[in-house]
Amino acid sequence: MILDVTAIDTYYGETQALFGVSLSVDAGEVVALLGPNGAGKTTTLRSILGLTRPRRGAIRFDGADVSRKPTHDIARMGVGWVPDDRRICPTLTVARNLSIALKRTRFRPWSMKEVFGIFSPLEYLVEREAENLSGGEMQMVAIARALLGSPGLVLFDEPSQGLAPKIVQDVLAIIRRLKDEGLSVIIVEQNAETALSVADRVYVLDRGTVAWSGLAAALRDDAGKRRDLLGA
Amino acid sequence: MDFLLYLLPHLLNGVALGLLFALIALGFMLIIGVMEVINLAHGSLFALGAYFALSLMTPDGGLKLGIAQLLFDLPIGWRYVIVLILAPIGVAVVGMGLEVCLRRTYGKDPLYGLLLTFGAALVLEELIRLTWGPTERFIPMPPSITGAVFIGDLIYSKYRFFASGFAILMIGLLWLFLEKTPYGALIKAGAHDSEMVRALGVNLTRLRLFVFGFGTALAAIAGIVMAPIWGVRPHVGVDAVVPAFVIIVLGGVGSFWGAVIAGLLVGMVVGLTGAYATDWSLIAMYILLILVVTFRARGLLGKKSVLEL
Amino acid sequence: MLVAFAIFGTLPFWISEIGLYPYLGAEVLIFCIYALGYNVLLGYGGLPSFGHGAYFGIGAYAFGLAQFNLSSSLWLCLVAAILAAAFFGAIVSLFISHRRGIYFALMTIAFGQMFFFIASKWTSVTKGEDGLLNILRLPADFGFAAYPIQRNIPFYWFVFGCFVVTIIVLWRVVNSPFGKVVQAIKQNEARTAFLGYNVVLYKAAVFTLSCAVAGFAGALFAMAQGGAFVQVMNLQWSGVVVLMVLIGGGFVSFWGPVLGVVLYFVARDLLGVYTDTWQLWFGLLFMLVVMFKPEGLAGIWQGIVYRKQKPRSSASLHLLVMLRGR
């Protein structure tokens, strides 16, 4: 298991958001984190990243205990993040937004050329100021940025949000490509269908706890179960 | 017509002052951007720059180290250039020390950070007073930049031109640094979104330390260049923070050229009031602060809520 | 701490024993008055005023001017001083009461510097750098008897009396509903406003009050020194009261400022004998206190004595909510 989250309790101030959440991801696996709004999906990602550190429980990444590590160390170990609000610096060009993300980890590096190969429009956008990008373009930059950091695990938070269906398919294709390269992915989605089309395993969160976990195939094929768990 | 000509040297003064104020403000702004700290001691570090320069330019500054003699023996032109590099580095070190002290107040009620930098300002002023004495000091300048220059029928101070030119150069270099270098990109990104930058693997603590040192070094450079214009006295510190604050409120936190333009405006006001009565130019700044805060500072920028506290 | 009363109440009897002098006692008490008034603003209200020396100075000048131009009644002159300081404080509060934090602080600095400047320049009235001299310690005329307070020991008793009065007034204010609201403002201004309180008015009121007390102290100081000097209005002196109040523990205790003032004078008169750098050390101590123990000396004392002391501030908002019946 490249990532092992064991019974974490995460708080926002004095409010508890996660109650004993456990999950694990293997190398080359795509794991989906599903559930309604406020279930704690983003909080889980933030806990893994060390942005909102869990008060109890443990997180291990790539063989090391990262429960108390600062975010920048966790990132340097090879955890990449594509946040739901993209978070591209608007006053920088695309090129500079990407350049600050370049780093080496023990995982496979991605060159600018490769990244442009995956996202061909990016080459033309390189000198564009980030604030002048469309939603889809920003998403591309955010994913490219995560790749340039040589990740072993990429956390996608609501990657399909606000994007045209064609672009969503592109994003899913990239996720499949990462899987083929042996990288791991956690995809957080409100839109279960999107996530299920690409995931191997699934965790369903509900009000801060894991309500169900299992193979994605089980949920894909069982509409009834899907409805029970996700109301969709 | 005569009146305008009379005003011209004061306008030029205003420009020189304004550009230097802008430099202080830009350093002040960088610090706010990356760490949301209003450094009340920024002005004291401005003053410290001038005092460090004093000690490095002449043995009268009290420096008794043997190696310093090497410096004193250099021709004054070279000495000045070296001092313009060394003194700000010294101040940067002090600035970074202050940042380390401030760390204890991060995350707490911002009132503590405010009190701490206020205390630091007082401590620095006292330190300066004890080390260099309370009376006004003078930094020897290379003759190539001092003296008078004649344009038409009027006499202008050569130094003001030097000060303006130098400030323009520094502002330009700063702009290049922020816009064209990877570190500049890091600082801008860090100012915009510190969480994201951490998630990209950047050690924010180290970044903040650097920016604090860098920002205070800018103040120090301004302090050295402004020394002959404002005088080198321990109390100068407080008077230097006020224009910086007025400038960022006027120009908008985070706006580079906003700060420059606002700086020129503030400089003009100070320079022109100086035309009527030199004592009043300082007070003009305080009046300007009161006016600006009363009328302009309203819920400034969602992100920079630190200014609202 | 009635201990304080005991100590200060008997001071003239033992002060010379320990190698000091009654005038120092008066000085200490004067600054205690100044600091206690200031603490209502900073410690209770969380409002950082870094230009308070101005009102101290205004009080001093007003007392002197009243004495020369108005009347030789001690009480009238004192009232004049208090009113003058309160008046200017009220004007300033018009500009700053909707602000907090850094804006508030810088505005107070700006106004402080302006008053300092005016005082320095308006030499016809204030005599500038030389100071307004020949201010007398007017006799305390209670109607049935007039006590001359010219000499240091009687003067000390008079100041002590003022100190007691100040404490009674401030204690009542701080523990009144008004005081509770002020503390709530410190804790969370937005929420207090939400509860329906006119926070701007409260801030203006507490600011003006602290200015009035500062003016009162200033007047006493003018009598002590025999003159009103412009230096007390500068930034260094405005800073000193901040240092005293914080180090003493004004954030957590009504009495904190007294501890801070005493420490300051101990440093000045004991340390100061050995070194010129004592002010520097006091400033560094301030920084250390802010960094490591913002509750100050009083906080340390409370930690020792009351192990389970509930922090003063959090109680206020709960109380307020109860008071408002929501």
Side-chain angles (χ1 to χ4, degrees):
Chain A
M1 289 292 156
I2 199 158
L3 177 74
D4 258 307
V5 176
T6 317
I8 56 170
D9 289 337
T10 302
Y11 290 70
Y12 282 116
E14 286 312 310
T15 323
Q16 189 164 4
L18 297 180
F19 301 81
V21 167
S22 297
L23 65 85
S24 59
V25 183
D26 215 343
E29 249 199 326
V30 177
V31 166
L33 215 53
L34 304 175
N37 242 335
K41 311 189 295 296
T42 302
T43 311
T44 308
L45 292 187
R46 290 178 62 92
S47 299
I48 296 171
L49 278 164
L51 290 171
T52 318
R53 259 186 243 149
R55 244 188 241 183
R56 282 176 287 275
I59 304 182
R60 292 188 74 81
F61 175 71
D62 202 18
D65 184 348
V66 299
S67 323
R68 299 274 162 268
K69 273 200 195 290
T71 304
H72 63 263
D73 279 339
I74 298 177
R76 290 199 160 267
M77 285 180 68
V79 178
W81 187 35
V82 184
D84 59 350
D85 42 359
R86 318 307 176 228
R87 300 204 182 190
I88 310 284
C89 183
T91 56
L92 292 176
T93 60
V94 167
R96 300 222 304 164
N97 262 297
L98 293 175
S99 69
I100 57 178
L102 274 166
K103 66 176 181 327
R104 295 248 159 187
T105 65
R106 80 150 182 91
F107 300 99
R108 153 250 211 283
W110 296 73
S111 69
M112 282 281 206
K113 213 157 147 244
E114 266 187 293
V115 161
F116 288 153
I118 304 176
F119 306 100
S120 38
L122 270 187
E123 245 186 305
Y124 305 105
L125 294 173
V126 150
E127 287 307 319
R128 181 91 63 90
E129 290 253 319
E131 59 192 344
N132 298 327
L133 295 174
S134 71
E137 290 165 339
M138 274 204 220
Q139 178 66 306
M140 267 195 279
V141 175
I143 300 177
R145 181 178 61 181
L147 290 179
L148 287 168
S150 313
L153 166 69
V154 184
L155 309 174
F156 284 86
D157 201 344
E158 310 274 357
S160 72
Q161 189 181 75
L163 294 184
K166 160 81 172 63
I167 312 204
V168 173
Q169 291 309 311
D170 289 339
V171 172
L172 293 176
I174 293 163
I175 294 180
R176 282 187 206 102
R177 160 91 183 263
L178 292 179
K179 179 186 157 75
D180 291 336
E181 300 265 359
L183 301 177
S184 311
V185 167
I186 297 184
I187 173 171
V188 160
E189 262 298 343
Q190 267 196 65
N191 184 332
E193 227 184 288
T194 314
L196 286 173
S197 67
V198 83
D200 298 316
R201 282 190 300 117
V202 172
Y203 292 86
V204 177
L205 286 183
D206 183 24
R207 278 168 291 196
T209 60
V210 176
W212 186 86
S213 70
L215 293 173
L219 272 186
R220 258 198 300 267
D221 303 330
D222 190 344
K225 203 179 203 116
R226 261 206 323 274
R227 217 178 307 123
D228 287 338
L229 286 170
L230 307 164
Chain B
M1 193 53 206
D2 279 334
F3 178 67
L4 266 151
L5 282 175
Y6 164 73
L7 226 47
L8 215 48
H10 293 283
L11 275 168
L12 276 162
N13 277 1
V15 168
L17 271 178
L19 289 167
L20 289 167
F21 283 158
L23 203 59
I24 306 174
L26 286 167
F28 195 59
M29 203 169 76
L30 279 180
I31 294 174
I32 295 179
V34 173
M35 46 217 298
E36 311 201 338
V37 166
I38 309 279
N39 182 14
L40 279 177
H42 207 71
S44 319
L45 292 161
F46 160 90
L48 194 63
Y51 277 97
F52 275 178
L54 173 69
S55 286
L56 291 172
M57 283 297 282
T58 157
D60 292 336
L63 197 56
K64 308 244 187 305
L65 278 169
I67 31 170
Q69 199 52 42
L70 285 170
L71 201 55
F72 300 141
D73 289 336
L74 281 175
I76 194 164
W78 288 109
R79 210 184 319 155
Y80 190 63
V81 170
I82 293 182
V83 166
L84 273 175
I85 301 173
L86 282 182
I89 293 179
V91 171
V93 170
V94 176
M96 292 197 274
L98 179 57
E99 197 271 330
V100 174
C101 290
L102 274 168
R103 286 184 196 170
R104 301 229 83 212
T105 61
Y106 293 160
K108 291 198 214 166
D109 187 338
L111 185 61
Y112 294 113
L114 194 63
L115 288 167
L116 188 59
T117 58
F118 179 68
L122 292 177
V123 165
L124 280 168
E125 191 175 316
E126 190 59 28
L127 207 65
I128 289 175
R129 194 191 311 264
L130 285 170
T131 316
W132 286 279
T135 52
E136 181 152 359
R137 308 293 299 264
F138 298 94
I139 305 180
M141 292 277 152
S144 46
I145 56 175
T146 53
V149 75
F150 292 89
I151 300 185
D153 283 333
L154 292 160
I155 308 175
Y156 292 95
S157 152
K158 216 195 277 185
Y159 190 76
R160 306 282 190 210
F161 284 104
F162 164 71
S164 307
F166 185 79
I168 292 176
L169 176 69
M170 289 305 307
I171 292 176
L173 285 175
L174 183 63
W175 185 86
L176 280 172
F177 174 72
L178 286 176
E179 294 301 314
K180 300 291 174 199
T181 65
Y183 216 91
L186 217 55
I187 292 177
K188 289 184 74 172
H192 179 255
D193 192 339
S194 59
E195 269 194 349
M196 190 65 226
V197 134
R198 284 157 64 198
L200 291 177
V202 175
N203 186 334
L204 201 63
T205 314
R206 234 181 273 157
L207 181 70
R208 287 178 166 162
L209 186 67
F210 172 80
V211 170
F212 213 91
F214 188 65
T216 51
L218 286 173
I221 294 179
I224 300 173
V225 176
M226 220 187 279
I229 304 177
W230 254 11
V232 184
R233 288 161 287 117
H235 188 63
V236 154
V238 176
D239 300 332
V241 177
V242 175
F245 189 76
V246 173
I247 288 168
I248 62 166
V249 170
L250 272 178
V253 184
S255 166
F256 188 92
W257 296 114
V260 174
I261 296 173
L264 282 167
L265 264 151
V266 174
M268 293 295 203
V269 168
V270 175
L272 286 173
T273 42
Y276 292 99
T278 29
D279 290 342
W280 285 84
S281 57
L282 230 57
I283 285 301
M285 229 163 43
Y286 285 107
I287 296 178
L288 195 59
L289 173 76
I290 293 170
L291 289 172
V292 164
V293 172
T294 307
F295 294 113
R296 181 72 160 81
R298 216 162 303 197
L300 213 59
L301 263 30
K303 192 201 175 226
K304 303 302 170 191
S305 53
V306 65
L307 287 178
E308 276 286 290
L309 273 188
Chain C
M1 280 202 300
L2 297 140
V3 180
F5 281 137
I7 296 182
F8 285 114
T10 57
L11 190 128
F13 302 122
W14 50 264
I15 194 100
S16 2
E17 305 298 316
I18 57 170
L20 298 168
Y21 45 97
Y23 180 73
L24 175 66
E27 253 192 317
V28 169
L29 284 182
I30 289 175
F31 274 88
C32 282
I33 295 175
Y34 183 18
L36 284 166
Y38 183 78
N39 193 40
V40 180
L41 186 64
L42 179 66
Y44 284 84
L47 297 166
S49 168
F50 294 148
H52 235 62
Y55 314 103
F56 188 81
I58 287 175
Y61 279 110
F63 183 84
L65 291 171
Q67 192 185 98
F68 297 148
N69 302 311
L70 275 182
S71 138
S72 50
S73 154
L74 175 66
W75 311 114
L76 217 74
C77 294
L78 280 177
V79 168
I82 296 176
L83 285 179
F87 174 70
F88 286 104
I91 293 185
V92 171
S93 74
L94 285 175
F95 287 88
I96 64 178
S97 298
H98 359 271
R99 304 275 170 220
R100 287 171 280 177
I102 182 66
Y103 286 126
F104 189 92
L106 275 165
M107 287 286 260
T108 59
I109 293 180
F111 277 108
Q113 293 287 79
M114 266 187 33
F115 283 127
F116 176 62
F117 181 75
I118 294 173
S120 314
K121 288 280 158 214
W122 202 6
T123 44
S124 56
V125 167
T126 64
K127 308 284 182 289
E129 300 276 319
D130 294 329
L132 194 65
L133 299 171
N134 297 318
I135 295 184
L136 301 169
R137 299 179 189 177
L138 299 167
D141 187 345
F142 291 100
F144 50 86
Y147 297 95
I149 51 174
Q150 200 60 25
R151 304 194 48 84
N152 280 338
I153 293 187
F155 182 65
Y156 175 83
W157 289 122
F158 175 69
V159 172
F160 180 72
C162 294
F163 177 65
V164 173
V165 168
T166 308
I167 290 187
I168 295 175
V169 170
L170 289 179
W171 181 261
R172 306 274 347 255
V173 166
V174 148
N175 287 307
S176 69
F178 173 80
K180 295 289 181 241
V181 176
V182 169
Q183 288 179 64
I185 291 177
K186 172 178 180 220
Q187 211 190 324
N188 192 327
E189 183 167 331
R191 239 198 283 174
T192 312
F194 256 174
L195 286 171
Y197 291 99
N198 184 342
V199 292
V200 172
L201 212 63
Y202 277 90
K203 282 157 75 173
V206 73
F207 185 77
T208 308
L209 174 66
S210 68
C211 292
V213 176
F216 182 48
L220 294 172
F221 196 59
M223 279 205 280
Q225 300 233 297
F229 303 96
V230 77
Q231 282 74 17
V232 294
M233 296 171 75
N234 72 21
L235 192 74
Q236 287 290 92
W237 275 102
S238 296
V240 161
V241 70
V242 182
L243 269 53
M244 289 177 186
V245 161
L246 197 103
I247 293 179
F251 274 137
V252 299
S253 157
F254 181 81
W255 297 103
V258 172
L259 293 172
V261 170
V262 169
L263 185 69
Y264 177 80
F265 281 99
V266 163
R268 187 190 75 171
D269 280 3
L270 294 180
L271 252 189
V273 172
Y274 298 107
T275 167
D276 258 341
T277 63
W278 68 271
Q279 266 180 316
L280 182 67
W281 295 115
F282 199 71
L284 283 170
L285 177 64
F286 173 76
M287 286 180 67
L288 287 173
V289 168
V290 174
M291 285 198 284
F292 297 107
K293 192 81 186 166
E295 305 84 43
L297 291 173
I300 296 177
W301 172 259
Q302 281 173 356
I304 299 173
V305 174
Y306 315 109
R307 214 127 311 191
K308 293 243 177 181
Q309 172 84 308
K310 191 168 187 196
R312 186 181 74 197
S313 36
S314 64
S316 328
L317 255 193
H318 298 296
L319 214 66
L320 260 189
V321 174
M322 278 172 8
L323 280 174
R324 276 268 150 154
R326 279 172 215 214

